[in-house]
């Protein structure tokens, strides 16, 4: 084998254009799924659990096919693919085990105006959900929202990323063969098919992708007032304190920045760039340690190590190398094999690498002399999906967590905030909105129906609301007026609620009022509401300080 050439198996991405859905058929496919939802077929919990069970075994039984497809689609190493698949299986199991509890009617402790009524929240399916995946996470980008959508009682349309055609073909085949055919469909295609799909009305849209794609999806959804969950990834800073285990931080950075060739949404990156903020005194040592760990991770030559990922396609390779510039492209890089070795570079803030998202195995180091400077730099750009503080000092860490705005955070580690099953996951601002996974994910795919139910006997009390009920309208209307635990004095509200939880209200007068009305109603069962109100008013005069 010629030196510098990869000896790994040749990647052969599938051509799945024969699976593309004709544009003129897309509306009918969505309509068919919506008709199924109208039958309420997906409403029983038993149906939802059965579909999740089947989804689990689609992945379990065909794991090797999905793993192989991810290698051929994007050069994803086997271990990285298995880790993604395992996280999906965990999420499905966690959802099945907890969904009945999450979906149970939730009692609401109301204020005393409604103390005699039943107040609760019922979770209801939204309808038909559109789920759009990304090429770099073709399993989790589908399974995380799918678990929530199915558990929520929705029908769904899956649009796999065209950048992972092998995985898309497997989704098309095995979802059709294993899940109930009537409540879902898979639409494959590129821009024309996706555009037509977004022209349809959906009840929820989940999209994993770039900020550019997120804006297109959000704009299309707005035409139908459709809510979205947008997981747009990226833009995540690493902040390193001077009081830190630098070798431990370097090892984790070395792993995270090169997992799947740096092409994951949780890689340390910021504002369309990938970077670390560190004190100038630590820069040289940090770079040396990161490079050392890279040398320990893989065999040489690196191009032949199957555990090291590849750039997904030629366009991505050309974009990354253009940001690097000819002088910084490593000699061992290979466009033919889509191979780029890992790089850690000290850069200035106006470096071309800082102008857009790298999405590759390159990490930039920026020097900051203080935590205030580092936090200011983080907050000067778009809000990240995750923030990663490294320090032995808990107060320093808390300062970073308090003063930066991000969707998630991992302390003294990287890329773990999306790992735990059931742990809600999502961005903020430019990195997206809405939540996936767990209870929060389920709530993204359901609506909260608030229910107030009054017993018939409560007519004695609720009758006072009618205009002709009683001559004491003003008094009755003011019964629910709260008495605040704070005064007009500035700062008097600061301590309210610190030692207790609950609703602040004028409980005692309202309790007496309710008691008086009940007593008056009992004494005058045959009396009208006016007579009951008159007796209640007489009783109130006998109660001091009411």
């Amino acid at each position: 084998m010629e030196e510098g050439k990869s000896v790994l198996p040749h990647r052969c991405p599938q051509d799945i254009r024969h699976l593309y859905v004709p544009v003129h058929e897309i509306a009918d496919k969505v309509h068919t799924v919506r008709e199924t939802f109208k039958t309420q077929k997906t409403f029983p919990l038993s149906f939802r659990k059965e579909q999740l069970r089947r989804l689990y075994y689609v992945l379990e039984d065909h794991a090797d096919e999905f793993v192989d497809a991810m290698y051929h689609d994007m050069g994803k190493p086997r271990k990285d693919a298995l880790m993604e698949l395992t996280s999906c299986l965990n999420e499905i199991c966690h959802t099945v085990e907890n969904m009945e509890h999450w979906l149970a009617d939730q009692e609401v402790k109301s204020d005393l105006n409604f103390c005699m009524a039943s107040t609760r929240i019922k979770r209801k399916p939204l309808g038909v959900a559109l789920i759009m995946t990304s090429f770099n996470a073709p399993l989790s980008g589908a399974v995380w929202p799918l678990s929530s959508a199915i558990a929520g009682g929705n029908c769904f349309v899956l649009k796999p990323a065209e950048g992972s055609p092998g995985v898309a073909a497997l989704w098309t085949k095995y979802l059709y063969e294993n899940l109930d055919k009537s409540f879902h469909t898979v639409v494959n295609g590129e821009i024309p098919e996706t555009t037509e799909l977004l022209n349809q009305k959906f009840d929820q849209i989940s999209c994993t992708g770039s900020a550019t794609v997120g804006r297109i999806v959000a704009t299309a959804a707005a035409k139908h007032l459709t809510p979205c969950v947008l997981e747009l990834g990226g833009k995540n800073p690493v902040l390193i304190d001077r009081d830190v285990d630098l070798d431990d931080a370097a090892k984790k950075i070395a792993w995270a920045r090169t997992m799947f060739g740096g092409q994951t949404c949780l890689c340390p990156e910021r504002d369309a760039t990938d970077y670390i903020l560190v004190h100038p005194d630590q820069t040289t040592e940090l770079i040396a340690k990161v490079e050392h760990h890279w040398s320990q991770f893989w065999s040489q030559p690196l191009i032949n190590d199957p555990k090291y990922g590849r750039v997904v396609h030629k366009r991505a390779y050309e974009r990354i190398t253009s940001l690097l510039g000819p002088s910084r492209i490593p000699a061992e890089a290979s466009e033919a094999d889509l191979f780029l070795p890992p790089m850690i570079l000290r850069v200035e803030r106006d470096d071309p690498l800082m102008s857009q998202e790298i999405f590759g195995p390159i990490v930039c180091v920026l020097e900051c002399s203080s935590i205030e400077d580092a936090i200011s730099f983080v907050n000067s750009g778009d809000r990240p999906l995750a923030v990663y503080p490294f320090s032995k000092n808990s107060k320093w860490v808390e300062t970073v967590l308090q003063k930066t705005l991000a969707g998630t955070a991992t302390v003294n580690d990287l890329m773990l905030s999306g790992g735990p099953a059931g742990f809600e996951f999502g961005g903020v601002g430019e990195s997206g909105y809405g939540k996936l996974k767990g209870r929060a994910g389920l709530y993204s795919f359901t609506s909260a129906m608030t229910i107030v139910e009054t017993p018939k006997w409560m007519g004695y009390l609720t009758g006072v609301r009618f205009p002709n009920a009683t001559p004491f309208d003003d008094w009755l209307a003011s019964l629910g007026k709260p008495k605040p635990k704070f005064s007009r004095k500035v700062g008097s509200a600061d301590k309210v609620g610190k030692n207790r939880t609950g609703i602040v209200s004028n409980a005692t007068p309202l309790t007496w009022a309710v008691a008086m009305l009940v007593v008056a109603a009992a004494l005058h069962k045959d009396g009208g509401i006016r007579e009951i109100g008159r007796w209640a008013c007489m009783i109130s005069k006998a109660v001091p300080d009411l």
Side-chain angles (χ1 to χ4, degrees):
M1 175 64 69
E2 181 180 339
E3 186 176 353
K5 286 290 185 179
S6 173
V7 298
L8 299 182
H10 181 64
R11 285 170 54 192
C12 301
Q14 290 187 46
D15 183 349
I16 64 166
R17 283 176 290 183
H18 64 285
L19 294 177
Y20 287 8
V21 176
V23 170
H24 67 273
E25 294 182 8
I26 290 176
D28 288 341
K29 283 184 171 292
V30 176
H31 175 74
T32 299
V33 175
R34 186 169 295 282
E35 288 300 306
T36 297
F37 180 77
K38 289 179 180 178
T39 68
Q40 300 191 2
K41 181 176 186 176
T42 61
F43 282 32
L45 290 182
S46 57
F47 177 87
R48 309 180 198 185
K49 289 182 178 181
E50 174 60 20
Q51 302 311 307
L52 287 171
R53 184 193 69 81
R54 296 182 186 184
L55 179 62
Y56 178 94
Y57 284 106
V58 164
L59 295 173
E60 172 79 4
D61 295 343
H62 305 285
D64 285 339
E65 293 178 68
F66 279 105
V67 168
D68 289 344
M70 283 192 277
Y71 172 76
H72 288 290
D73 285 348
M74 64 201 78
K76 198 162 194 173
R78 180 174 179 83
K79 184 173 74 171
D80 292 351
L82 286 171
M83 289 171 61
E84 182 179 348
L85 187 143
T86 299
S87 75
C88 294
L89 296 177
N90 283 331
E91 188 62 29
I92 295 171
C93 288
H94 186 80
T95 300
V96 172
E97 291 169 8
N98 292 279
M99 57 181 284
E100 196 158 350
H101 170 66
W102 294 339
L103 289 166
D105 286 5
Q106 178 186 352
E107 290 189 23
V108 178
K109 291 184 179 180
S110 179
D111 60 78
L112 290 177
N113 285 306
F114 295 93
C115 64
M116 300 297 180
S118 168
T119 51
R120 56 196 168 103
I121 296 174
K122 180 183 288 292
R123 306 303 308 190
K124 304 284 288 185
L126 287 173
V128 179
L130 170 62
I131 296 170
M132 306 173 68
T133 72
S134 63
F135 80 87
N136 64 315
L139 295 188
S140 59
V143 173
W144 289 2
L146 270 181
S147 296
S148 298
I150 295 173
N154 302 280
C155 296
F156 70 88
V157 175
L158 178 65
K159 170 57 181 71
E162 59 270 25
S164 53
V167 175
L170 294 175
W171 280 132
T172 306
K173 174 180 173 63
Y174 291 125
L175 290 184
Y176 179 81
E177 290 181 356
N178 292 274
L179 271 63
D180 188 294
K181 299 177 182 61
S182 65
F183 91 113
H184 81 278
T185 191
V186 179
V187 174
N188 287 295
E190 299 182 26
I191 292 177
E193 293 79 10
T194 303
T195 301
E196 178 61 22
L197 198 55
L198 289 173
N199 285 334
Q200 310 306 310
K201 176 176 173 54
F202 291 95
D203 301 292
Q204 176 65 289
I205 297 177
S206 170
C207 174
T208 305
S210 67
T212 300
V213 172
R215 289 187 177 91
I216 294 172
V217 171
T219 300
K223 296 177 183 178
H224 300 291
L225 298 179
T226 301
C228 295
V229 177
L230 301 180
E231 199 280 275
L232 308 181
K235 306 164 183 61
N236 309 312
V238 176
L239 298 89
I240 298 181
D241 185 21
R242 302 193 73 179
D243 182 15
V244 69
D245 184 338
L246 198 61
D247 185 69
D248 177 70
K251 185 175 184 178
K252 291 167 180 173
I253 291 168
W255 163 73
R257 185 62 266 174
T258 52
M259 180 180 179
F260 178 35
Q263 299 167 110
T264 98
C265 63
L266 277 171
C267 276
E269 45 191 294
R270 180 238 180 238
D271 242 1
T273 64
D274 313 343
Y275 79 118
I276 301 167
L277 295 171
V278 65
H279 193 275
D281 294 346
Q282 299 168 290
T283 305
T284 301
E285 184 181 3
L286 174 67
I287 292 174
K289 287 181 178 295
V290 170
E291 290 177 336
H292 168 74
H293 286 295
W294 278 336
S295 70
Q296 300 298 305
F297 285 167
W298 301 292
S299 59
Q300 298 298 324
L302 180 59
I303 194 171
N304 292 332
D305 194 322
K307 299 190 298 294
Y308 186 77
R310 298 294 187 267
V311 178
V312 63
H313 47 56
K314 185 177 179 180
R315 295 192 310 276
Y317 183 93
E318 292 173 344
R319 181 182 58 80
I320 297 170
T321 52
S322 68
L323 291 174
L324 280 170
S327 64
R328 293 191 293 195
I329 299 176
E332 60 268 39
S334 171
E335 182 174 351
D337 292 302
L338 298 176
F339 168 79
L340 273 176
M343 303 173 66
I344 180 167
L345 303 172
R346 188 189 322 219
V347 302
E348 299 298 327
R349 299 183 185 188
D350 60 351
D351 190 286
L353 286 168
M354 300 294 289
S355 65
Q356 60 179 272
E357 182 179 355
I358 298 173
F359 216 59
I362 301 166
V363 59
C364 298
V365 178
L366 297 174
E367 296 179 337
C368 289
S369 57
S370 67
I371 185 176
E372 291 78 18
D373 184 24
I375 291 173
S376 176
F377 185 71
V378 172
N379 291 337
S380 66
D382 294 317
R383 296 175 183 176
L385 177 61
V387 63
Y388 302 116
F390 279 82
S391 177
K392 295 178 182 179
N393 186 333
S394 60
K395 290 184 178 179
W396 188 94
V397 169
E398 193 60 31
T399 298
V400 173
L401 297 178
Q402 286 286 349
K403 294 189 176 182
T404 56
L405 296 171
T408 65
T410 303
V411 178
N412 290 321
D413 214 319
L414 293 163
M415 295 176 59
L416 300 184
S417 53
F423 200 75
E424 65 182 64
F425 180 80
V428 58
E430 188 78 3
S431 57
Y433 51 79
K435 298 294 183 181
L436 295 174
K437 302 185 66 184
R439 184 196 296 261
L442 179 61
Y443 286 3
S444 293
F445 285 87
T446 55
S447 65
M449 175 187 284
T450 55
I451 301 169
V452 178
E453 185 176 358
T454 60
K456 184 176 181 180
W457 64 265
M458 207 175 153
Y460 285 113
L461 308 180
T462 58
V464 300
R465 61 187 158 164
F466 301 124
N468 62 345
T470 172
F472 308 107
D473 291 340
D474 290 349
W475 176 76
L476 290 168
S478 64
L479 284 177
K481 182 179 178 181
K483 181 178 180 181
K485 301 297 183 181
F486 49 84
S487 68
R488 295 181 182 275
K489 183 179 178 181
V490 174
S492 62
D494 182 58
K495 295 182 179 180
V496 175
K498 288 188 174 181
N499 298 321
R500 56 171 295 184
T501 59
I503 298 169
V504 179
S505 70
N506 190 14
T508 302
L510 191 56
T511 302
W512 274 108
V514 170
M516 287 185 295
L517 288 169
V518 171
V519 171
L523 293 173
H524 290 267
K525 292 181 180 180
D526 299 326
I529 193 67
R530 287 178 178 272
E531 186 68 12
I532 293 173
R534 187 176 70 82
W535 269 77
C537 200
M538 290 172 56
I539 297 172
S540 70
K541 293 179 181 179
V543 180
D545 300 322
L546 184 61

